[in-house]
């Protein structure tokens, strides 16, 4: 049975955070370690096969997604933890790193149930928000006493998001259109405001947003990040299992179907992996305080997905009022340098992004082959998603 194991690793306590060059080196070391392993011997000599791995390094460590074929969930977790322990121990530069969490995040039985029902009356709805609502209803039917009422759920979700707002370290409240408390010497509600990018000097929009609404919008973005990453990982797994592109895929997809239709035959499992890594790299910069500007077309699309997921999540809990919507609109206006990527969704402009006339109109290169190319040499694109990485696989 296939399991996806999530592993959080951290650099030694008290060690300075890694700079971009150190992070690139850590990615290379960890990926090299995984590439050298085909299977792991678990307890009692049971063999656990390593199917895939994704490495996303941030200044304080690395987030690993490891796909294994194992007889049981517990065996998958134990084997992956042993593998990562060994990988760190035998790599001199990583020997002092620690594992903070190692657990199965996606059970194949659940994915298989959805796939088996794809053509029947129990087929999962196309709309992710409706699917999530159905999951909540199913939980309520199974355990009515264990699920709070709608108002209590909304209150709990709001409190969770308000608490998560502090994790969005790259953006001050001003990026969301609220007064920046940092300007008065205090910490910002929507984040620490320590970033030097959009958080420093945002474009002020006319609508003033209450600080509390800005904070809720910031926390919702962090909350939606986990949902988006998990959904994209499941999309990648479906495309891998079917050995298909988005245009050919018969199984349910959470997000990738919302990419521009014109390239649907090119969105395969390898593309899904590159896009997932890009989302993780972008949102890591959002939360670690290092974000400056969006780096490439793929990140512009990734932010579009994140904002959509954030709105869906807020609506699901009844938390999207006019002020929160205005905060998200202001955030988008401040973080996007332009909206040229929307041309990719306009069928009447098909081909403009591929030709000289597009450049004459002032649009940045948006051809499919340039999606993961940095807009300029100063922009960061994760090593596993760059065009160099793509060329190395062909």
């Amino acid at each position: 049975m296939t399991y996806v194991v999530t592993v959080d690793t951290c650099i030694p306590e008290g060690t300075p955070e890694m700079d971009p060059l150190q992070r690139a080196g850590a990615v290379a070391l960890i990926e090299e370690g995984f590439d050298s392993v085909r299977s792991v011997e678990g307890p009692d000599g049971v063999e656990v096969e390593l199917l895939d791995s994704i490495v996303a390094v941030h200044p304080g460590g690395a987030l690993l997604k490891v796909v294994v074929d194992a007889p049981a969930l517990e065996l998958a977790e134990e084997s992956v933890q042993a593998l990562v322990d060994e990988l760190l121990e035998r790599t001199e530069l990583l020997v002092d790193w620690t594992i903070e969490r190692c657990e199965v995040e996606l059970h194949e039985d659940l994915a298989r149930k959805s796939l088996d029902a794809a053509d029947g009356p129990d087929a999962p709805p196309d709309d992710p928000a409706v699917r999530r609502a159905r999951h909540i209803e199913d939980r309520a039917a199974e355990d009515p006493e264990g699920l709070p009422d709608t108002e209590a759920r909304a209150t709990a979700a709001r409190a969770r998001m308000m608490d998560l707002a502090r994790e969005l370290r790259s953006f001050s409240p001003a990026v969301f259109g609220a007064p920046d408390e940092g300007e008065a010497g205090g910490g910002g509600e929507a984040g620490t405001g320590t970033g030097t990018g959009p958080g420093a000097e945002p474009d002020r929009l006319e609508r003033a947003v209450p600080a509390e609404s800005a904070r809720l919008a910031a926390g919702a973005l962090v909350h939606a990040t986990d949902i988006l990453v998990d959904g994209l990982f499941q999309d990648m797994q479906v495309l891998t299992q079917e050995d298909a592109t988005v245009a050919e895929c018969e199984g349910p997809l959470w997000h990738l179907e919302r990419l521009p239709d014109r390239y649907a035959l090119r969105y395969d499992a390898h593309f899904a992996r590159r896009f997932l890594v890009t989302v993780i790299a972008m949102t890591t910069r959002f939360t670690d305080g290092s974000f400056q500007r969006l780096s490439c077309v793929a990140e512009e699309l990734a932010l579009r997905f994140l904002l959509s997921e954030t709105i869906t999540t807020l609506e699901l809990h009844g938390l999207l009022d006019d002020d929160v919507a205005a905060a998200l609109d202001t955030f988008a206006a401040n973080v996007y340098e332009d909206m040229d990527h929307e041309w990719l969704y306009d069928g009447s402009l098909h081909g403009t992004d591929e030709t000289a006339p597009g450049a004459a109109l002032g649009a940045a290169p948006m051809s499919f082959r340039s999606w993961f190319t940095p807009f300029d040499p100063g922009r960061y694109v994760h090593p596993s998603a760059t065009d160099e990485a793509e060329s190395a696989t062909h």
Side-chain angles (χ1 to χ4, degrees):
M1 190 171 293
T2 302
Y3 297 93
V4 179
V5 185
T6 298
V7 186
D8 278 331
T9 62
C10 295
I11 59 177
E13 189 174 349
T15 302
E17 292 186 339
M18 294 183 289
D19 59 32
L21 183 59
Q22 291 171 320
R23 295 202 295 269
V27 168
L29 289 171
I30 296 172
E31 289 185 339
E32 182 181 349
F34 280 125
D35 288 344
S36 67
V37 178
R38 290 290 175 268
S39 63
V40 184
E41 186 173 316
D44 300 324
V46 178
E47 186 176 272
V48 174
E49 185 180 359
L50 178 64
L51 302 178
D52 196 7
S53 61
I54 289 181
V55 179
V57 173
H58 53 85
L63 176 67
L64 316 176
K65 297 273 189 177
V66 186
V67 187
V68 295
D69 187 13
L73 183 150
E74 294 80 5
L75 189 58
E77 290 180 341
E78 291 175 13
S79 300
V80 169
Q81 176 146 356
L83 170 61
V84 177
D85 267 331
E86 181 181 349
L87 187 156
L88 297 178
E89 286 177 9
R90 74 186 189 196
T91 307
E92 184 178 354
L93 296 177
L94 307 177
V95 69
D96 294 324
W97 284 33
T98 58
I99 297 176
E100 299 295 313
R101 176 172 66 109
C102 180
E103 62 185 15
V104 167
E105 202 165 81
L106 172 65
H107 195 300
E108 178 67 10
D109 281 351
L110 300 179
R112 181 62 58 190
K113 181 179 178 182
S114 294
L115 289 172
D116 289 343
D119 295 323
D122 296 324
D126 290 334
D127 187 341
V130 178
R131 268 185 267 177
R132 279 190 285 277
R134 177 180 289 186
H135 294 329
I136 291 175
E137 292 171 0
D138 290 344
R139 284 176 54 208
E142 293 171 3
D143 184 14
E145 299 299 322
L147 193 67
D149 59 35
T150 302
E151 184 176 350
R153 285 201 306 273
T155 300
R158 187 179 190 282
R160 224 169 27 245
M161 293 177 194
M162 296 290 276
D163 188 56
L164 285 172
R166 68 187 66 172
E167 300 297 324
L168 205 67
R169 295 181 178 88
S170 284
F171 306 104
S172 69
V175 179
F176 293 85
D180 190 347
E181 295 185 10
E183 295 173 357
E189 288 290 334
T192 65
T194 57
T196 57
E201 296 183 7
D203 297 328
R204 302 281 181 171
L205 300 190
E206 292 184 4
R207 181 185 177 92
V209 174
E212 191 168 288
S213 298
R215 184 179 177 187
L216 179 57
L221 281 165
V222 178
H223 180 76
T225 295
D226 285 341
I227 300 172
L228 176 60
V229 168
D230 287 344
L232 286 170
F233 199 89
Q234 292 182 51
D235 284 357
M236 185 186 74
Q237 289 300 103
V238 171
L239 294 177
T240 300
Q241 290 163 2
E242 295 193 14
D243 190 21
T245 65
V246 166
E248 302 160 337
C249 185
E250 296 181 359
L253 296 172
W254 287 90
H255 300 293
L256 293 180
E257 287 180 321
R258 295 188 286 116
L259 286 166
D261 289 338
R262 68 180 69 174
Y263 298 121
L265 283 169
R266 303 179 74 172
Y267 306 142
D268 56 10
H270 179 66
F271 168 86
R273 179 190 178 95
R274 295 176 76 194
F275 191 71
L276 172 59
V277 168
T278 297
V279 170
I280 294 173
M282 179 189 75
T283 53
T284 296
R285 301 198 325 275
F286 282 6
T287 57
D288 69 13
S290 67
F291 180 79
Q292 298 287 328
R293 295 170 295 177
L294 296 174
S295 296
C296 57
V297 173
E299 283 200 354
E300 292 182 333
L301 294 170
L303 180 56
R304 180 189 180 98
F305 277 30
L306 178 59
L307 288 167
S308 175
E309 187 63 49
T310 300
I311 291 170
T312 297
T313 301
L314 287 165
E315 287 178 335
L316 183 63
H317 294 290
L319 299 174
L320 186 67
D321 60 24
D322 290 343
D323 286 330
V324 177
L328 289 173
D329 287 344
T330 306
F331 173 83
N334 283 323
V335 176
Y336 277 121
E337 294 174 53
D338 59 56
M339 300 303 292
D340 289 350
H341 67 278
E342 291 193 346
W343 289 11
L344 294 169
Y345 289 90
D346 188 340
S348 66
L349 296 174
H350 182 48
T352 302
D353 55 302
E354 305 276 358
T355 60
L361 291 171
M366 286 183 290
S367 62
F368 182 78
R369 62 181 176 274
S370 69
W371 280 14
F372 298 94
T373 302
F375 289 135
D376 59 57
R379 315 259 182 149
Y380 176 80
V381 174
H382 193 281
S384 296
T386 58
D387 293 321
E388 288 80 2
E390 165 72 0
S391 299
T393 62
H394 290 84

